[in-house]
Amino acid sequence: LNSLRGLQGLDIVGAEIVEVAPAYDHAEITGLAAAHAGYDAASHEIIARCDADSIPPSSWLARIERQLAAEDDKLVAVTGGGRFAPGPRALGRSLCGLYLGLYGLASGLALAHPPLWGSNMAMRTSWWNRVSPRLAPLPGIHDDFELSFELQPHEAIALDRGSVMPVSWRAAVSPRRLLAQQRMARRLLLRRWEQEPPWERHRRRWAERRSPL
């Protein structure tokens, strides 16, 4: 409900909203399947995503639209930063920045590019339609992290550091949750690296950068 209340101040012309309740998803699969179904049903050009504990600021959708409205065929998605809330803004911003910095560093080594963060991200619907046939809702994985693996060398994710999403402290203060996130990431990495090792991803992206326009 916090996320839905946070949408009150947003400048929305038309949108579909899909709400998933992970508290009732004991098999860890219903939420992923519902998210995929929501993405598939989207009829607008942009799919914006946040989590149940996200509180979107009033400028959130406008920033996303400015980023993805650019005529850049390479840009397929945008992701932003966050701030742990409630509490002192400076402390929440600093600790969330550290949390996301570590996530970005570790994930970047595996992906060869910045990862998507599910609490504050958006993507072109056309891109989702291209990559979704290769994805299946699987329990025990980070779906935003897996989606990041679908980025091809000629495509890009924009990192909007000015987009700050207030989120719950639960990711930072729960050792059990942190361990669970590590297990989920390790499970996904092992499966994805069987398909393409990280050095091959880096090699293909480097080759794309060096190729003539």
Side-chain angles (χ1 to χ4, degrees):
L1 290 179
N2 283 337
S3 294
L4 295 178
R5 293 190 185 103
L7 296 175
Q8 291 178 356
L10 299 184
D11 183 12
I12 300 176
V13 176
E16 301 98 352
I17 298 175
V18 176
E19 183 184 9
V20 178
Y24 302 99
D25 184 20
H26 302 295
E28 297 183 349
I29 190 63
T30 307
L32 294 178
H36 281 215
Y39 299 159
D40 288 340
S43 59
H44 291 73
E45 295 180 0
I46 297 173
I47 299 172
R49 170 191 161 157
C50 61
D51 282 336
D53 59 357
S54 303
I55 306 175
S58 59
S59 61
W60 184 52
L61 291 182
R63 296 187 69 96
I64 289 172
E65 185 180 19
R66 283 197 300 269
Q67 291 273 2
L68 293 180
E71 295 183 4
D72 184 350
D73 293 337
K74 292 185 177 181
L75 184 60
V76 297
V78 58
T79 193
R83 171 175 63 86
F84 290 135
R89 296 179 66 91
L91 179 62
R93 182 74 184 271
S94 298
L95 291 181
C96 192
L98 176 62
Y99 171 81
L100 291 177
L102 293 174
Y103 168 58
L105 177 62
S107 301
L109 291 174
L111 293 167
H113 57 77
L116 293 167
W117 182 44
S119 293
N120 184 3
M121 60 164 279
M123 58 186 165
R124 297 187 191 276
T125 303
S126 57
W127 184 61
W128 167 255
N129 291 335
R130 289 201 303 272
V131 305
S132 59
R134 301 194 294 269
L135 298 172
L138 297 174
I141 66 165
H142 294 286
D143 59 317
D144 51 351
F145 192 22
E146 179 166 51
L147 186 57
S148 302
F149 274 96
E150 293 300 324
L151 195 77
Q152 298 302 307
H154 65 280
E155 298 171 334
I157 294 172
L159 179 58
D160 184 1
R161 300 183 186 277
S163 176
V164 180
M165 178 71 73
V167 295
S168 168
W169 286 88
R170 60 178 181 162
V173 300
S174 172
R176 181 179 179 182
R177 181 177 173 82
L178 290 173
L179 289 174
Q181 288 179 333
Q182 292 176 7
R183 287 195 297 269
M184 293 167 67
R186 183 168 60 251
R187 186 180 300 118
L188 176 59
L189 288 172
L190 291 175
R191 184 168 64 84
R192 283 288 183 164
W193 286 354
E194 288 181 354
Q195 302 170 11
E196 183 179 41
W199 52 86
E200 179 61 21
R201 291 185 65 89
H202 281 270
R203 185 199 65 78
R204 289 202 300 127
R205 185 156 289 270
W206 178 251
E208 175 66 22
R209 288 176 180 174
R210 298 192 63 181
S211 64
L213 297 178

